[in-house]
């Protein structure tokens, strides 16, 4: 039988309201919760809150739960490893899960490159490590990144991040040696020629190419609004960086691990970077990140980089099970159901041309852009009240990043609710019928 969301209480329900009250006292106020969802348990694409309300989850915990909530094979791998040992630190010792995961990631992501892997606890840490590696390997100081990019919030990664001013405000000085240019996308009216010309201008003026250690790029820009670049962009960036001995670092923290219908998004354009950054979907929800570099670029000296927790054995076990599931069919599922989802979003745009200004994405990394930030926020709220969890991205996009186990039928349930939320916003935006409210006057 087709499963549907069930919202039985007011939102937040009483248990959720109590926890949110405690959270408001105990937790940092720096977070950006859009609505009062308090998780209790999940399975697959479904998430149940502490009042027993069940939601269809098109967020996957910000594109993390790649194999769905608590996939039984991931849970079994975690449990098995947890019984053996929880931690030993790959910085000082060795263990099987870490070595095996490094071998598999290197072979799958940079085949034939004698690639090596460094494990981290988060995406920001992966980016941070890749920045250090690029400086170490090239002996050059500068970095290039793109407006709209999100690479994390630690001070090095934040210097690359150029998504929202609030993320940088009052944290200066950041790294001085980072330059930005606009990210090309049809949705923003910026083509590859313009993007490449901007880079050449930087080379000719403030950032000579031989001073650049690395270009950091998201193959599909995530927090910036799920922007897909023109097809020639990444190949041209690859050619340019190779010509100048600059490392091309693809930040696949959000777009990687099968989300776009290929293991790495850059594969859509046959581009092999020098370094890949991963996190989010890598271990299905266990905190694990990684950067993977071609062998010739990862030759730093013992002691030059390390991490106590990076490559935690339980997280590595979860990642091995995740890779199995991706290879056994979830990457293909993301591609196929992604097509279905994008077709459905295009149909919604046709139905609501006044509200929806753009539909874009690859695989299960899809977005619906609306006319204003307020409208995007409103649609997300309306969907929540109807049992669909969504997030925004960029200034006014609604992003859809469900678990990669999403079925076509579940995609249809989500599309139906999104359609209802849009229809409600459309009705609310209609001018009142003549005479309406006359009594009140
Ligand atoms: N890079 C990209 C592309 C991301 O989307 C994110 C997080 O959203 C990060 C890096 C930072 O990851 P984390 O929040 O795990 O530090």
């Amino acid at each position: 039988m087709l499963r549907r969301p069930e919202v039985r209480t007011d939102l937040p329900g009483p248990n959720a309201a109590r926890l949110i009250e405690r959270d408001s006292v105990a937790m940092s106020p720096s977070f950006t919760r859009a609505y009062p969802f308090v998780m209790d348990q999940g399975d697959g694409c479904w998430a149940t809150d502490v009042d027993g309300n069940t939601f269809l989850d098109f967020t996957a915990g910000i594109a993390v739960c790649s194999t769905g909530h608590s996939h039984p094979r991931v849970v079994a791998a975690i449990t098995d490893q947890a019984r053996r040992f929880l931690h030993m630190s790959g910085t000082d010792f060795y263990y099987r899960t870490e070595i095996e995961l490094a071998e598999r990631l290197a072979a799958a992501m940079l085949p034939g490159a004698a690639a090596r892997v460094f494990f981290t606890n988060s995406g920001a840490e992966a980016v941070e490590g890749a920045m250090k590696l690029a400086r170490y390997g090239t002996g050059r100081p500068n970095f290039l990144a793109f407006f709209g990019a999100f690479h994390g919030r630690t001070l090095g990664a934040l210097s690359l991040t150029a998504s929202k001013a609030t993320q940088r405000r009052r944290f200066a000085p950041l790294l001085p040696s980072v330059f930005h240019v606009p990210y090309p996308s049809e949705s923003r009216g910026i083509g590859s020629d313009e993007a490449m010309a901007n880079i050449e201008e930087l080379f000719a003026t403030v950032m000579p190419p031989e001073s650049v250690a690395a270009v950091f790029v998201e193959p599909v820009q995530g927090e910036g609004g799920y922007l897909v670049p023109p097809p020639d962009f990444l190949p041209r960036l690859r050619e340019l960086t190779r010509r100048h001995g600059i490392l091309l670092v693809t930040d696949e923290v959000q777009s990687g691990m099968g989300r776009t219908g290929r293991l790495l998004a850059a594969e859509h354009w046959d581009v092999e970077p020098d370094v890949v950054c991963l996190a989010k979907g890598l271990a299905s929800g266990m905190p694990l990140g990684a950067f993977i570099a071609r062998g010739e670029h990862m030759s730093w000296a013992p002691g030059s980089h390390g991490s106590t927790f990076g490559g935690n054995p339980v997280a590595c076990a979860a990642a091995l099970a995740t890779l199995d599931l991706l290879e056994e069919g979830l990457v293909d599922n993301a591609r196929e159901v992604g097509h279905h989802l994008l077709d459905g979003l295009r149909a919604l745009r046709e139905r609501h041309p006044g509200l929806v200004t753009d539909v874009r994405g690859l695989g299960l990394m899809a977005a619906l852009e609306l006319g204003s930030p307020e409208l995007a926020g409103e649609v997300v709220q309306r969907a929540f009240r109807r049992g669909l969890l969504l997030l925004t991205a960029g200034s006014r996009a609604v992003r859809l990043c469900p678990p990669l186990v999403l079925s076509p039928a579940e995609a249809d349930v989500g599309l139906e609710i999104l359609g209802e939320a849009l229809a409600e916003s459309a009705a609310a935006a209609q001018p009142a019928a003549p005479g309406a409210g006359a009594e009140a006057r």
Side-chain angles (χ1 to χ4, degrees):
M1 213 184 76
L2 184 60
R3 193 169 174 184
R4 298 194 66 88
E6 270 188 64
V7 180
R8 303 184 194 135
T9 67
D10 287 343
L11 294 174
N15 295 329
R18 275 193 291 276
L19 282 163
I20 290 169
E21 177 58 30
R22 286 166 56 190
D23 178 286
S24 74
V25 176
M27 291 284 292
S28 158
S30 58
F31 302 121
T32 50
R33 281 78 166 254
Y35 44 78
F37 176 73
V38 183
M39 179 91 172
D40 183 50
Q41 52 178 294
D43 63 293
C45 297
W46 298 87
T48 302
D49 78 0
V50 287
D51 295 289
N53 299 307
T54 300
F55 296 78
L56 180 56
D57 182 10
F58 272 21
T59 75
I62 328 189
V64 168
C65 305
S66 44
T67 56
H69 291 289
S70 297
H71 192 290
R73 283 183 41 199
V74 176
V75 173
I78 290 171
T79 316
D80 182 51
Q81 178 58 46
R83 278 202 202 96
R84 289 162 197 270
F85 65 100
L86 295 175
H87 172 78
M88 198 54 202
S89 192
T91 294
D92 285 296
F93 304 100
Y94 305 90
Y95 41 89
R96 188 187 57 81
T97 46
E98 192 178 43
I99 298 163
E100 195 175 319
L101 182 61
E103 287 170 348
R104 284 187 61 184
L105 290 175
M109 297 190 171
L110 291 176
R116 289 169 175 252
V117 182
F118 186 102
F119 288 111
T120 68
N121 305 282
S122 69
E125 246 185 90
V127 168
E128 201 77 38
M131 294 176 84
K132 286 177 67 179
L133 182 72
R135 276 198 172 159
Y136 191 103
T138 62
R140 301 173 176 186
N142 290 335
F143 298 104
L144 178 72
F146 294 85
F147 289 122
F150 189 91
H151 295 291
R153 295 171 183 274
T154 50
L155 285 173
L158 184 61
S159 308
L160 300 175
T161 290
S163 179
K164 293 196 174 92
T166 36
Q167 293 157 353
R168 295 170 66 108
R169 186 171 287 128
R170 298 174 70 161
F171 296 126
L174 300 176
L175 284 186
S177 45
V178 178
F179 297 82
H180 291 90
V181 291
Y183 186 86
S185 83
E186 204 187 310
S187 306
R188 296 281 177 271
I190 299 170
S192 297
D193 285 351
E194 192 180 333
M196 299 314 285
N198 280 320
I199 298 174
E200 293 288 1
E201 193 175 347
L202 285 181
F203 284 174
T205 54
V206 290
M207 188 187 72
E210 70 278 8
S211 71
V212 186
V215 174
F216 280 75
V217 65
E218 292 163 271
V220 177
Q221 205 174 68
E223 304 301 305
Y226 279 23
L227 296 171
V228 183
D232 63 338
F233 172 61
L234 277 184
R236 287 174 71 178
L237 198 58
R238 176 66 282 190
E239 190 281 320
L240 183 80
T241 47
R242 195 168 275 142
R243 184 150 40 92
H244 292 291
I246 298 169
L247 300 191
L248 180 65
V249 183
T250 48
D251 180 346
E252 298 248 19
V253 165
Q254 189 150 179
S255 60
M257 300 312 293
R259 176 146 298 279
T260 67
R262 304 293 292 264
L263 192 57
L264 294 176
E267 291 171 20
H268 286 282
W269 303 285
D270 286 327
V271 165
E272 257 208 13
D274 298 301
V275 184
V276 186
C277 297
L278 299 172
K280 288 195 184 281
L282 176 56
S284 288
M286 294 298 286
L288 185 68
F291 56 100
I292 307 167
R294 298 179 64 84
E296 69 266 29
H297 299 310
M298 201 181 272
S299 57
W300 40 11
S304 51
H305 200 50
S307 165
T308 299
F309 287 121
N312 169 274
V314 183
C316 285
L320 285 167
T322 302
L323 260 185
D324 287 342
L325 289 161
L326 293 182
E327 288 170 2
E328 287 168 27
L330 290 188
V331 181
D332 295 335
N333 191 64
R335 186 168 54 249
E336 285 153 24
V337 183
H339 280 307
H340 182 74
L341 188 66
L342 279 161
D343 283 346
L345 293 177
R346 287 186 199 104
L348 289 179
R349 177 175 55 183
E350 275 171 33
R351 213 182 311 151
H352 298 285
L355 299 185
V356 180
T357 56
D358 193 26
V359 168
R360 54 183 179 248
L362 269 179
L364 289 175
M365 188 169 183
L368 190 71
E369 189 150 274
L370 301 177
S372 69
E374 294 71 28
L375 188 56
E378 185 184 292
V379 167
V380 166
Q381 291 290 338
R382 293 189 196 284
F384 170 63
R385 310 263 153 219
R386 291 168 179 275
L388 175 65
L389 303 182
L390 293 168
L391 290 168
T392 55
S395 61
R396 54 191 170 91
V398 173
R399 80 171 104 174
L400 297 87
C401 51
L404 310 187
V405 293
L406 188 77
S407 69
E410 288 169 331
D412 287 340
V413 172
L415 286 163
E416 186 188 315
I417 297 174
L418 189 51
E420 288 166 7
L422 285 167
E424 217 181 317
S425 283
Q430 289 295 322
E439 307 88 323
R441 281 197 296 274

